[in-house]
Amino acid sequence: KAITMKIKKENTTLFLAGEIKDELGGSVYYDISNELGAVVPIIDFEKERNMIYAVIDAINAGLLLSCHDISDGGFATTISEMILGGDADGEIGAEIDLNFTDLRTDKALFSESSGFVFEAEDRNIERLTNLFKFYKLHMIKLGKTGGNNLVINHKNKKIINLQISKLKEAWTRGFV
């Protein structure tokens, strides 16, 4: 029943389980920016357990197509990894809306607060919502899969519109 992080289909919905917080202390983003930061992610162990159980139950019930944890590099890295998926063929883009957070854009993109991003077909959203409510969790709708670009909107502005080919190039070759 295992699933991978790679986005599987066009026109599916992406969700966030967890929160994006101003918790960048010790993050990769601060490291490459030569900042230290004092606010590291604070772990709520009950919430973490519930997120893990909700994701496991959703996978076991066949409700998720793909899922990836937010970790090193934060939210933007998670989405990028889901698009690239570890292979060279058939990448599917996504359009994401971060208007649910008032954080500064760079903090919204690179926060390493714990959570999961997952992909689901619309026919499964009601069951997913009920499952997450059972665990006292809220799912945040991020956007839809599709196209050849990664598009991220924040504070009602398009902040990223990157072709997957350029994303792949940056990922495999690094910054030159």
Side-chain angles (χ1 to χ4, degrees), residues 3-15 64-68 75-96 117-121 142-152 164 167:
I3 62 173
T4 66
M5 68 180 162
K6 184 176 179 64
I7 291 174
K8 304 296 187 300
K9 292 185 176 182
E10 299 254 355
N11 201 33
T12 55
T13 304
L14 294 170
F15 291 94
L64 303 185
L65 295 172
S66 63
C67 184
H68 192 21
F75 178 80
T77 299
T78 298
I79 292 295
S80 298
E81 289 175 343
M82 290 180 78
I83 289 171
L84 297 176
D87 64 39
D89 300 318
E91 287 88 3
I92 298 170
E95 183 158 358
I96 305 297
V117 175
F118 55 86
E119 173 191 14
E121 293 178 292
L142 295 171
K144 293 294 234 179
T145 63
N148 298 312
N149 290 15
L150 169 58
V151 178
I152 300 179
I164 295 173
L167 179 65

Side-chain angles (χ1 to χ4, degrees), residues 77-170:
T77 299
T78 298
I79 292 295
S80 298
E81 289 175 343
M82 290 180 78
I83 289 171
L84 297 176
D87 64 39
D89 300 318
E91 287 88 3
I92 298 170
E95 183 158 358
I96 305 297
D97 187 343
L98 296 178
N99 287 331
F100 63 89
T101 180
D102 290 330
L103 286 178
R104 203 171 71 196
T105 300
D106 61 335
K107 291 183 179 194
L109 288 173
F110 300 110
S111 170
E112 294 182 358
S113 297
S114 69
F116 294 90
V117 175
F118 55 86
E119 173 191 14
E121 293 178 292
D122 289 348
R123 64 187 171 96
N124 291 327
I125 292 174
E126 184 177 346
R127 288 179 61 201
L128 272 171
T129 302
N130 291 335
L131 175 65
F132 274 73
K133 280 183 184 175
F134 174 80
Y135 284 105
K136 299 177 182 142
L137 298 169
H138 178 69
M139 301 181 328
I140 299 169
K141 182 178 177 181
L142 295 171
K144 293 294 234 179
T145 63
N148 298 312
N149 290 15
L150 169 58
V151 178
I152 300 179
N153 303 299
H154 188 230
K155 298 185 179 177
N156 299 312
K157 293 180 187 174
K158 190 174 290 187
I159 57 169
I160 294 173
N161 186 359
L162 185 62
Q163 291 178 340
I164 295 173
S165 60
K166 296 289 184 189
L167 179 65
K168 184 188 293 184
E169 184 180 323

